[in-house]
Amino acid sequence: MTIAQFSGLFDAFNARAMNFSQVAETFVPPSFFHSMLKPCHTLLVGPRGSGKTTLLKMMSYDGWKCLHAQNDTPREGFPFIGVYIPVDRSWRTGLSDMLGQSAVSSRTSNAASRGLVNTHVHMALIETVMSVVSDHSHDAHGENSEVEIIRELAETWKLTPKQSTFISLMRELRTIQAEVIRLRNRALEFNDEDAAARLVSMDYIHNDPIGTSAIAIDGICKLYGLTPIKWALLFDELEISPKWLKDAAFSSMRSINQRILLKMSAAPFDDDLEENANPTAPTALNDYETIPLWYTTKDEGFDFCKKIAHNLINKNSSILHSTGDALGTSILDSDAGRGTYAPGGDAHKRIERLAERDATFAEYLASLPFDYRNLTGVPEPMMAQHIRKPIEIIVFREFFLKSRRGRIEKRSRKSLDIYAGESSVYAISEGNPRWLIGLMNRMIDLSNGTVPIPHNVQSRSILETTNRFRALLRTIPAPSAHADRGLLALIDRIGSGFTARLLGDKFDPEPALSFIVPADASNDLLDAVSTAVRSGALVYLPDSAADIAIVSPRGKRFRISFMLAPNYSLPLIKGRYISLNSLIHQRDDTGRQLSIF
Amino acid sequence: MPSIKILLVSDLHAGSCENPENPSSWLDQERDSTNAKANPVVGLIETLNRAAIHPDFLVCTGDIGNIGNPTGIAYGWEQIAKIRKELNIQNIITTCGNHDIQRPNGQTVVDPWAHVRNLSPSYPFDDIHSNIKYFTNGFHVANYQPFRFIIVNSCAFHDNPAELERGKIAKATIDAIEAALQVDKGRYCCNIIAVHHHPHRYAEIDYDKDYDSIVGGSEFLNMLETSTQNCLVLHGHKHLPRVSLGGGLLARTVLFSIGSLSAILYQKLATISSNQFYILELDSDSIASSGMVGDFTAWDFQYTKGWVPAVSRTMKTHLPYKGSFGSKIDHVSCANTINGMIDGKRIVKWASIIRAIPHLRYASPYDIEYLQAMLTDRHNCGIDIDQNGRPIQAAPGVTP
């Protein structure tokens, strides 16, 4: 299962289909944007919709120009000249099913892949060069430089453009691209051996796309006097590129000249990036910096989401509204001030109500070294440990549980206002701009643009969005051996496992809400978890920056996406962790173990 | 009216076909789609409105219907009227095509023109007097000083079944047109002739079968060229987009062959051309100083995509998005001059070349293509042409 096989949620907000100017118009720089601009190789890792394309487009030369034109600020301090290279699925056509192919087919697919990568990379580079030259070249002999560089490139790249101009070179590259596709199709679909031989014999396709781009950049910088400036090749969606390109890109991080930076975006847990398998390969925090594009806790993405929400709320409004006014406070923010724990305060009331209906919670309170009815004098560390920390669990149990004949049971809730309010809305979006925009736009539509947006409207929009996300997940097949069950079966099993622990008979102040993938997990399970992370259904929780693994989920910790939390009545925290095995392996009435993997 | 914009359409072949498996046109009263990507008329209106292009004239060179079917002809004429109304075009110039005349179909047709004369709105002109002149004399003159339109009926003999397969202009009609051209000739910068059939043979598609050009076409072109006036001939019929100089003794009349607006092209033609419509821009000052020159913009129709800027492909059977016509070029001396400017090492912008060789301003797409080939073959240099078909610059080849 690859990320390419399912469509993204809310594709209307997909930056891939937008031009630089459109992306710049709505761009909100995340807190780590400056880290991305550092003069070092960078790997941006994030699931679908996490803003990888937007960020790379804004780091490109033309994107940067649009961004600064939009903000009406000077373009000084340009960190590098970025060449945006969208990875194309056609680069791996025929490569994915090479097992069982004849040697001729395999050679053809490889040759075509290399030809297409080279033409795409070189065209992206030349387009950027044309833009740079038209902005920087005040040299009266600029056109002579163009003739000179094209002659040099033609020789290095093994090309024969009709004229020594960038335009002619672009035309030549387009012609080669069309020729590569034509020969590949003839060779693979009609077993045309002559076409296969002609394809393989094309000198140009055997170029190293990154190395030859570096040579071109060197020449261009010298001729146009751009020597101090660094360049960055910005590969977007590396996960859908062929493995040979991933290998080349990672090995280039060590060998490429200092002028060239590689900044690439990838989905987490890509089997092809087996960096650990190769001891000479570059490693994270050494040759490149890895930047995760997701937030592990709900507070991390708050400021970024707030800016996006502010723009959306005020897009068509003549009066400027604050996001706080528009979305209101979340019930889950009830630990905001100590007043809420005083008698009559919201948290205090909830504690009392739960204690009345949940005997196990009452036992918990009785075991505390202070009287919960008078929390005002309780020392802060004690308060934090026993009340503030579990408050979200208390609020959820109070909201979802009722007492019936001395026993507690889950009550059905039509309205899920518990998920409404500013901080919760942002948390549910996971800081994923595409999700947040989709969610906010729906709320604004349903409330007809009025502010504040009522909590019942917010919770309705959230539920709709959650259901849309589930519908998308339903279309994603599970790993090959269990294709009939679908990925959603795994997510549901995990989600309901957490629900049972949160809303079970016994109050647990720190229930398990995240899991670790066991070291002995089957390949099917590993694939399923990887796919779920790439689709955004699961969120990876690295222990540290050095642990932003992109290779295997084995031994790593995950939680369910907050976007799915309303479906399982889960709070927006990561909680304690347990082994994935204990969630997905259940026993039937006879004690027989049931497993979906 | 020192400069004008003309919307050029031709050969709609509108109407439901008797054989639904093999429809003749994207315009069909049965489908009557309102989708701009499927209906060429809806799409054309939307395209020009979006581009804020406001034509002064609508010229249609015939074949509004198909094989003389009165229902289709009426529907096609409705579509022309719709274009005119929606785009608020003041003036309309129309001429008959061979498909607009009722076919005998084994029976005697007493008056094959009857149904077109009874069309509403009035056909082909707004007033009955002009219509009478057109049908009686075989041509009509419409004055829009400094531009003059001569609308010629090349189907005037089609009441005779033996003449149905070709166009014809009688010698007497040519003489009458010649006389008409002399009237107030100093007041007009050019004569724009609208006629359905092509005045001389085109061999691009039907190398040995192009029998349907105008009988008397050569004489007609000779007459135009010896009139000492600037003439532009707009014609349809072949569904073959093309602009060229020539046909007559001096090869100075411009022949603009209009592609079909909406006929479903047969396979051979569809592979080398497409449905097109055009905006022609004529400027009386430029014509006064440079002869019969002008610029055009062309759009291609792609079913499900609608009208898109015409793609650049072989110039012999297709017109690019942007182009000009009318310059008489000495390709050899132009190539020598351009090569001198390049001097083996310089990229020379097309604007600089135009300053050095002003008459290249109105070089046609074929002239540019030919010049490009000549520069490559003889001088190791060439011309960069943009995706719209316009030359951008000339530059040396890659080997010094």
Short mmCIF file of all heavy atoms in Angstrom, two decimals, chain B residues 30-83:
data_model
loop_
_atom_site.label_atom_id
_atom_site.label_comp_id
_atom_site.label_asym_id
_atom_site.label_seq_id
_atom_site.Cartn_x
_atom_site.Cartn_y
_atom_site.Cartn_z
N GLU B 30 -30.89 18.18 -30.87
CA GLU B 30 -31.36 17.14 -29.95
C GLU B 30 -30.61 17.21 -28.62
O GLU B 30 -31.17 17.05 -27.56
CB GLU B 30 -31.16 15.75 -30.56
CG GLU B 30 -31.94 15.50 -31.84
CD GLU B 30 -33.44 15.55 -31.63
OE1 GLU B 30 -33.89 15.08 -30.57
OE2 GLU B 30 -34.15 16.08 -32.50
N ARG B 31 -29.31 17.46 -28.72
CA ARG B 31 -28.51 17.52 -27.49
C ARG B 31 -28.61 18.92 -26.88
O ARG B 31 -28.85 19.07 -25.70
CB ARG B 31 -27.05 17.18 -27.79
CG ARG B 31 -26.81 15.70 -27.94
CD ARG B 31 -25.36 15.41 -28.13
NE ARG B 31 -24.88 15.88 -29.45
CZ ARG B 31 -23.70 15.58 -29.95
NH1 ARG B 31 -22.88 14.85 -29.28
NH2 ARG B 31 -23.34 16.01 -31.13
N ASP B 32 -28.40 19.93 -27.69
CA ASP B 32 -28.49 21.33 -27.29
C ASP B 32 -27.92 21.57 -25.89
O ASP B 32 -28.56 22.14 -25.02
CB ASP B 32 -29.96 21.80 -27.34
CG ASP B 32 -30.01 23.34 -27.41
OD1 ASP B 32 -29.06 23.92 -27.94
OD2 ASP B 32 -30.99 23.91 -26.92
N SER B 33 -26.69 21.09 -25.70
CA SER B 33 -26.07 21.18 -24.37
C SER B 33 -25.81 22.63 -23.98
O SER B 33 -25.53 23.48 -24.82
CB SER B 33 -24.75 20.41 -24.40
OG SER B 33 -24.00 20.70 -23.29
N THR B 34 -25.91 22.88 -22.69
CA THR B 34 -25.57 24.22 -22.20
C THR B 34 -24.17 24.22 -21.60
O THR B 34 -23.74 25.20 -21.02
CB THR B 34 -26.56 24.67 -21.11
OG1 THR B 34 -26.59 23.65 -20.11
CG2 THR B 34 -27.96 24.87 -21.67
N ASN B 35 -23.51 23.10 -21.75
CA ASN B 35 -22.17 22.94 -21.18
C ASN B 35 -21.12 23.52 -22.13
O ASN B 35 -20.98 23.07 -23.26
CB ASN B 35 -21.92 21.45 -20.95
CG ASN B 35 -20.60 21.21 -20.26
OD1 ASN B 35 -19.73 22.08 -20.23
ND2 ASN B 35 -20.46 20.02 -19.70
N ALA B 36 -20.38 24.49 -21.64
CA ALA B 36 -19.38 25.18 -22.48
C ALA B 36 -18.28 24.24 -22.96
O ALA B 36 -17.60 24.52 -23.93
CB ALA B 36 -18.77 26.33 -21.70
N LYS B 37 -18.13 23.10 -22.27
CA LYS B 37 -17.07 22.18 -22.67
C LYS B 37 -17.55 21.18 -23.72
O LYS B 37 -16.77 20.42 -24.26
CB LYS B 37 -16.54 21.43 -21.45
CG LYS B 37 -15.81 22.37 -20.51
CD LYS B 37 -15.33 21.67 -19.27
CE LYS B 37 -14.57 22.68 -18.41
NZ LYS B 37 -14.18 22.14 -17.14
N ALA B 38 -18.85 21.17 -23.96
CA ALA B 38 -19.40 20.22 -24.93
C ALA B 38 -20.07 20.93 -26.10
O ALA B 38 -20.18 20.36 -27.19
CB ALA B 38 -20.42 19.32 -24.24
N ASN B 39 -20.51 22.14 -25.89
CA ASN B 39 -21.21 22.87 -26.94
C ASN B 39 -20.32 24.01 -27.45
O ASN B 39 -20.02 24.95 -26.71
CB ASN B 39 -22.52 23.44 -26.37
CG ASN B 39 -23.32 24.19 -27.42
OD1 ASN B 39 -22.78 24.87 -28.28
ND2 ASN B 39 -24.63 24.05 -27.34
N PRO B 40 -19.88 23.94 -28.71
CA PRO B 40 -18.93 24.94 -29.21
C PRO B 40 -19.46 26.37 -29.19
O PRO B 40 -18.68 27.31 -29.02
CB PRO B 40 -18.66 24.49 -30.66
CG PRO B 40 -19.03 23.06 -30.70
CD PRO B 40 -20.15 22.89 -29.71
N VAL B 41 -20.77 26.55 -29.34
CA VAL B 41 -21.31 27.91 -29.34
C VAL B 41 -21.32 28.48 -27.92
O VAL B 41 -20.87 29.60 -27.68
CB VAL B 41 -22.71 27.94 -29.99
CG1 VAL B 41 -23.42 29.25 -29.69
CG2 VAL B 41 -22.59 27.74 -31.49
N VAL B 42 -21.82 27.69 -26.99
CA VAL B 42 -21.82 28.14 -25.58
C VAL B 42 -20.38 28.43 -25.14
O VAL B 42 -20.08 29.44 -24.50
CB VAL B 42 -22.46 27.06 -24.67
CG1 VAL B 42 -22.37 27.45 -23.21
CG2 VAL B 42 -23.91 26.83 -25.08
N GLY B 43 -19.48 27.53 -25.54
CA GLY B 43 -18.07 27.68 -25.17
C GLY B 43 -17.44 28.92 -25.79
O GLY B 43 -16.67 29.63 -25.15
N LEU B 44 -17.77 29.16 -27.05
CA LEU B 44 -17.20 30.34 -27.74
C LEU B 44 -17.64 31.63 -27.03
O LEU B 44 -16.81 32.52 -26.77
CB LEU B 44 -17.68 30.35 -29.19
CG LEU B 44 -17.24 31.50 -30.10
CD1 LEU B 44 -17.19 31.04 -31.56
CD2 LEU B 44 -18.13 32.72 -30.01
N ILE B 45 -18.92 31.70 -26.71
CA ILE B 45 -19.44 32.90 -26.05
C ILE B 45 -18.73 33.09 -24.70
O ILE B 45 -18.27 34.19 -24.37
CB ILE B 45 -20.97 32.79 -25.86
CG1 ILE B 45 -21.65 32.84 -27.23
CG2 ILE B 45 -21.50 33.90 -24.96
CD1 ILE B 45 -23.11 32.38 -27.24
N GLU B 46 -18.61 32.00 -23.97
CA GLU B 46 -17.96 32.08 -22.66
C GLU B 46 -16.48 32.48 -22.80
O GLU B 46 -15.98 33.30 -22.04
CB GLU B 46 -18.07 30.72 -21.96
CG GLU B 46 -17.69 30.78 -20.50
CD GLU B 46 -17.70 29.41 -19.86
OE1 GLU B 46 -18.80 28.88 -19.64
OE2 GLU B 46 -16.60 28.88 -19.60
N THR B 47 -15.82 31.89 -23.80
CA THR B 47 -14.39 32.18 -23.99
C THR B 47 -14.16 33.66 -24.29
O THR B 47 -13.28 34.29 -23.70
CB THR B 47 -13.84 31.33 -25.17
OG1 THR B 47 -14.05 29.96 -24.85
CG2 THR B 47 -12.36 31.58 -25.40
N LEU B 48 -14.94 34.21 -25.20
CA LEU B 48 -14.74 35.62 -25.57
C LEU B 48 -15.17 36.55 -24.44
O LEU B 48 -14.54 37.58 -24.20
CB LEU B 48 -15.48 35.95 -26.87
CG LEU B 48 -14.91 35.27 -28.12
CD1 LEU B 48 -15.61 35.76 -29.37
CD2 LEU B 48 -13.40 35.50 -28.27
N ASN B 49 -16.23 36.18 -23.75
CA ASN B 49 -16.66 37.02 -22.61
C ASN B 49 -15.59 37.03 -21.53
O ASN B 49 -15.27 38.07 -20.97
CB ASN B 49 -17.97 36.50 -22.03
CG ASN B 49 -19.17 37.09 -22.75
OD1 ASN B 49 -19.09 38.19 -23.30
ND2 ASN B 49 -20.27 36.36 -22.78
N ARG B 50 -15.04 35.85 -21.26
CA ARG B 50 -14.02 35.76 -20.22
C ARG B 50 -12.78 36.58 -20.60
O ARG B 50 -12.15 37.22 -19.77
CB ARG B 50 -13.63 34.29 -19.99
CG ARG B 50 -13.00 34.08 -18.64
CD ARG B 50 -12.59 32.63 -18.34
NE ARG B 50 -13.42 31.62 -18.94
CZ ARG B 50 -12.98 30.75 -19.85
NH1 ARG B 50 -11.73 30.79 -20.25
NH2 ARG B 50 -13.78 29.83 -20.36
N ALA B 51 -12.45 36.55 -21.90
CA ALA B 51 -11.26 37.28 -22.35
C ALA B 51 -11.57 38.75 -22.62
O ALA B 51 -10.69 39.50 -23.04
CB ALA B 51 -10.71 36.61 -23.61
N ALA B 52 -12.82 39.15 -22.38
CA ALA B 52 -13.27 40.54 -22.63
C ALA B 52 -12.92 40.98 -24.05
O ALA B 52 -12.41 42.07 -24.27
CB ALA B 52 -12.67 41.47 -21.59
N ILE B 53 -13.18 40.10 -25.00
CA ILE B 53 -12.95 40.44 -26.42
C ILE B 53 -14.31 40.81 -27.03
O ILE B 53 -15.27 40.04 -26.93
CB ILE B 53 -12.31 39.25 -27.18
CG1 ILE B 53 -10.92 38.98 -26.62
CG2 ILE B 53 -12.26 39.51 -28.67
CD1 ILE B 53 -10.26 37.72 -27.14
N HIS B 54 -14.38 41.97 -27.62
CA HIS B 54 -15.66 42.46 -28.17
C HIS B 54 -15.52 42.67 -29.67
O HIS B 54 -15.07 43.73 -30.12
CB HIS B 54 -16.05 43.78 -27.48
CG HIS B 54 -16.02 43.68 -25.99
ND1 HIS B 54 -16.91 42.89 -25.28
CD2 HIS B 54 -15.20 44.23 -25.06
CE1 HIS B 54 -16.64 42.97 -23.99
NE2 HIS B 54 -15.60 43.77 -23.83
N PRO B 55 -15.90 41.68 -30.47
CA PRO B 55 -15.74 41.81 -31.92
C PRO B 55 -16.71 42.85 -32.50
O PRO B 55 -17.82 43.05 -31.99
CB PRO B 55 -16.09 40.41 -32.45
CG PRO B 55 -16.17 39.52 -31.26
CD PRO B 55 -16.46 40.39 -30.09
N ASP B 56 -16.26 43.49 -33.59
CA ASP B 56 -17.13 44.44 -34.31
C ASP B 56 -17.96 43.72 -35.36
O ASP B 56 -19.04 44.18 -35.73
CB ASP B 56 -16.27 45.51 -35.00
CG ASP B 56 -15.33 46.19 -34.03
OD1 ASP B 56 -15.83 46.88 -33.14
OD2 ASP B 56 -14.09 45.96 -34.13
N PHE B 57 -17.42 42.63 -35.88
CA PHE B 57 -18.09 41.89 -36.94
C PHE B 57 -18.14 40.40 -36.61
O PHE B 57 -17.21 39.88 -36.01
CB PHE B 57 -17.33 42.05 -38.28
CG PHE B 57 -17.37 43.43 -38.84
CD1 PHE B 57 -16.45 44.38 -38.43
CD2 PHE B 57 -18.33 43.79 -39.78
CE1 PHE B 57 -16.49 45.67 -38.94
CE2 PHE B 57 -18.38 45.08 -40.30
CZ PHE B 57 -17.45 46.03 -39.88
N LEU B 58 -19.21 39.79 -37.07
CA LEU B 58 -19.27 38.32 -37.04
C LEU B 58 -19.33 37.88 -38.50
O LEU B 58 -20.25 38.26 -39.23
CB LEU B 58 -20.52 37.85 -36.30
CG LEU B 58 -20.92 36.38 -36.45
CD1 LEU B 58 -19.78 35.44 -36.04
CD2 LEU B 58 -22.15 36.07 -35.61
N VAL B 59 -18.31 37.13 -38.92
CA VAL B 59 -18.29 36.62 -40.30
C VAL B 59 -18.48 35.11 -40.24
O VAL B 59 -17.75 34.41 -39.52
CB VAL B 59 -16.98 36.97 -41.01
CG1 VAL B 59 -16.87 36.25 -42.35
CG2 VAL B 59 -16.87 38.48 -41.22
N CYS B 60 -19.46 34.63 -41.02
CA CYS B 60 -19.67 33.18 -41.13
C CYS B 60 -19.68 32.83 -42.61
O CYS B 60 -20.51 33.33 -43.37
CB CYS B 60 -20.99 32.78 -40.48
SG CYS B 60 -21.37 31.05 -40.74
N THR B 61 -18.75 31.97 -43.00
CA THR B 61 -18.63 31.67 -44.43
C THR B 61 -19.34 30.36 -44.81
O THR B 61 -18.83 29.55 -45.58
CB THR B 61 -17.15 31.61 -44.86
OG1 THR B 61 -16.45 30.79 -43.93
CG2 THR B 61 -16.53 32.98 -44.90
N GLY B 62 -20.53 30.17 -44.28
CA GLY B 62 -21.41 29.13 -44.81
C GLY B 62 -21.35 27.77 -44.15
O GLY B 62 -20.60 27.54 -43.21
N ASP B 63 -22.24 26.88 -44.69
CA ASP B 63 -22.45 25.55 -44.12
C ASP B 63 -22.87 25.63 -42.65
O ASP B 63 -22.29 24.98 -41.78
CB ASP B 63 -21.20 24.66 -44.28
CG ASP B 63 -21.10 24.06 -45.67
OD1 ASP B 63 -22.00 24.34 -46.50
OD2 ASP B 63 -20.13 23.33 -45.93
N ILE B 64 -23.92 26.40 -42.43
CA ILE B 64 -24.46 26.45 -41.07
C ILE B 64 -25.20 25.15 -40.76
O ILE B 64 -25.28 24.72 -39.62
CB ILE B 64 -25.38 27.68 -40.85
CG1 ILE B 64 -26.45 27.76 -41.93
CG2 ILE B 64 -24.58 28.96 -40.75
CD1 ILE B 64 -27.46 28.88 -41.73
N GLY B 65 -25.78 24.53 -41.81
CA GLY B 65 -26.46 23.25 -41.63
C GLY B 65 -25.69 22.12 -42.30
O GLY B 65 -24.52 22.29 -42.67
N ASN B 66 -26.38 20.98 -42.41
CA ASN B 66 -25.71 19.82 -42.98
C ASN B 66 -26.60 19.16 -44.04
O ASN B 66 -27.80 18.98 -43.82
CB ASN B 66 -25.40 18.81 -41.87
CG ASN B 66 -24.39 17.78 -42.30
OD1 ASN B 66 -23.34 18.15 -42.82
ND2 ASN B 66 -24.71 16.52 -42.11
N ILE B 67 -26.01 18.83 -45.17
CA ILE B 67 -26.67 18.21 -46.33
C ILE B 67 -28.09 18.77 -46.60
O ILE B 67 -29.01 18.04 -46.92
CB ILE B 67 -26.68 16.67 -46.25
CG1 ILE B 67 -27.30 16.16 -44.96
CG2 ILE B 67 -25.30 16.09 -46.45
CD1 ILE B 67 -27.52 14.65 -44.92
N GLY B 68 -28.21 20.06 -46.44
CA GLY B 68 -29.45 20.75 -46.81
C GLY B 68 -30.64 20.48 -45.91
O GLY B 68 -31.76 20.87 -46.24
N ASN B 69 -30.41 19.85 -44.76
CA ASN B 69 -31.52 19.55 -43.86
C ASN B 69 -32.08 20.86 -43.28
O ASN B 69 -31.39 21.57 -42.53
CB ASN B 69 -31.00 18.65 -42.74
CG ASN B 69 -32.09 18.25 -41.78
OD1 ASN B 69 -32.95 19.05 -41.45
ND2 ASN B 69 -32.06 17.00 -41.36
N PRO B 70 -33.34 21.19 -43.59
CA PRO B 70 -33.89 22.49 -43.17
C PRO B 70 -33.88 22.69 -41.65
O PRO B 70 -33.62 23.78 -41.16
CB PRO B 70 -35.33 22.46 -43.70
CG PRO B 70 -35.32 21.46 -44.80
CD PRO B 70 -34.30 20.44 -44.42
N THR B 71 -34.14 21.61 -40.89
CA THR B 71 -34.17 21.75 -39.42
C THR B 71 -32.78 22.13 -38.90
O THR B 71 -32.63 23.01 -38.05
CB THR B 71 -34.59 20.41 -38.76
OG1 THR B 71 -35.63 19.85 -39.54
CG2 THR B 71 -35.03 20.60 -37.35
N GLY B 72 -31.79 21.44 -39.44
CA GLY B 72 -30.41 21.72 -39.01
C GLY B 72 -29.98 23.12 -39.42
O GLY B 72 -29.30 23.82 -38.65
N ILE B 73 -30.37 23.52 -40.62
CA ILE B 73 -30.00 24.87 -41.10
C ILE B 73 -30.63 25.93 -40.17
O ILE B 73 -29.96 26.88 -39.76
CB ILE B 73 -30.44 25.06 -42.56
CG1 ILE B 73 -29.60 24.15 -43.48
CG2 ILE B 73 -30.30 26.52 -42.99
CD1 ILE B 73 -30.13 24.02 -44.90
N ALA B 74 -31.90 25.72 -39.84
CA ALA B 74 -32.58 26.69 -38.96
C ALA B 74 -31.89 26.73 -37.59
O ALA B 74 -31.68 27.80 -37.02
CB ALA B 74 -34.04 26.29 -38.80
N TYR B 75 -31.51 25.54 -37.10
CA TYR B 75 -30.83 25.47 -35.80
C TYR B 75 -29.46 26.16 -35.86
O TYR B 75 -29.07 26.92 -34.97
CB TYR B 75 -30.69 24.01 -35.37
CG TYR B 75 -30.00 23.84 -34.05
CD1 TYR B 75 -30.62 24.24 -32.86
CD2 TYR B 75 -28.71 23.30 -33.96
CE1 TYR B 75 -29.99 24.09 -31.64
CE2 TYR B 75 -28.07 23.15 -32.74
CZ TYR B 75 -28.71 23.54 -31.59
OH TYR B 75 -28.09 23.41 -30.38
N GLY B 76 -28.73 25.91 -36.95
CA GLY B 76 -27.41 26.53 -37.13
C GLY B 76 -27.52 28.06 -37.18
O GLY B 76 -26.72 28.77 -36.58
N TRP B 77 -28.54 28.52 -37.89
CA TRP B 77 -28.74 29.97 -38.01
C TRP B 77 -29.11 30.59 -36.66
O TRP B 77 -28.68 31.68 -36.32
CB TRP B 77 -29.81 30.26 -39.08
CG TRP B 77 -29.98 31.71 -39.42
CD1 TRP B 77 -31.12 32.44 -39.38
CD2 TRP B 77 -28.96 32.63 -39.86
NE1 TRP B 77 -30.91 33.73 -39.76
CE2 TRP B 77 -29.57 33.88 -40.06
CE3 TRP B 77 -27.59 32.50 -40.11
CZ2 TRP B 77 -28.88 35.00 -40.51
CZ3 TRP B 77 -26.89 33.62 -40.54
CH2 TRP B 77 -27.52 34.84 -40.74
N GLU B 78 -29.88 29.83 -35.89
CA GLU B 78 -30.20 30.26 -34.51
C GLU B 78 -28.92 30.43 -33.68
O GLU B 78 -28.79 31.35 -32.89
CB GLU B 78 -31.00 29.15 -33.80
CG GLU B 78 -32.47 29.42 -33.65
CD GLU B 78 -33.14 28.19 -33.03
OE1 GLU B 78 -32.65 27.67 -31.99
OE2 GLU B 78 -34.13 27.71 -33.62
N GLN B 79 -28.00 29.50 -33.89
CA GLN B 79 -26.74 29.55 -33.13
C GLN B 79 -25.92 30.78 -33.52
O GLN B 79 -25.30 31.42 -32.67
CB GLN B 79 -25.91 28.27 -33.37
CG GLN B 79 -26.60 26.99 -32.96
CD GLN B 79 -27.09 27.05 -31.52
OE1 GLN B 79 -26.33 27.27 -30.59
NE2 GLN B 79 -28.40 26.91 -31.36
N ILE B 80 -25.92 31.09 -34.81
CA ILE B 80 -25.20 32.29 -35.26
C ILE B 80 -25.83 33.53 -34.63
O ILE B 80 -25.14 34.44 -34.15
CB ILE B 80 -25.23 32.38 -36.81
CG1 ILE B 80 -24.44 31.21 -37.42
CG2 ILE B 80 -24.71 33.72 -37.31
CD1 ILE B 80 -22.94 31.27 -37.20
N ALA B 81 -27.18 33.55 -34.65
CA ALA B 81 -27.89 34.69 -34.06
C ALA B 81 -27.60 34.79 -32.56
O ALA B 81 -27.45 35.89 -32.01
CB ALA B 81 -29.39 34.53 -34.30
N LYS B 82 -27.47 33.63 -31.92
CA LYS B 82 -27.19 33.61 -30.48
C LYS B 82 -25.80 34.19 -30.19
O LYS B 82 -25.63 34.98 -29.25
CB LYS B 82 -27.26 32.15 -30.01
CG LYS B 82 -27.06 31.94 -28.55
CD LYS B 82 -27.25 30.47 -28.25
CE LYS B 82 -26.89 30.13 -26.82
NZ LYS B 82 -27.08 28.71 -26.56
N ILE B 83 -24.84 33.79 -31.01
CA ILE B 83 -23.47 34.33 -30.82
C ILE B 83 -23.51 35.85 -30.95
O ILE B 83 -22.96 36.58 -30.14
CB ILE B 83 -22.49 33.74 -31.88
CG1 ILE B 83 -22.30 32.24 -31.66
CG2 ILE B 83 -21.15 34.46 -31.85
CD1 ILE B 83 -21.51 31.54 -32.76
#
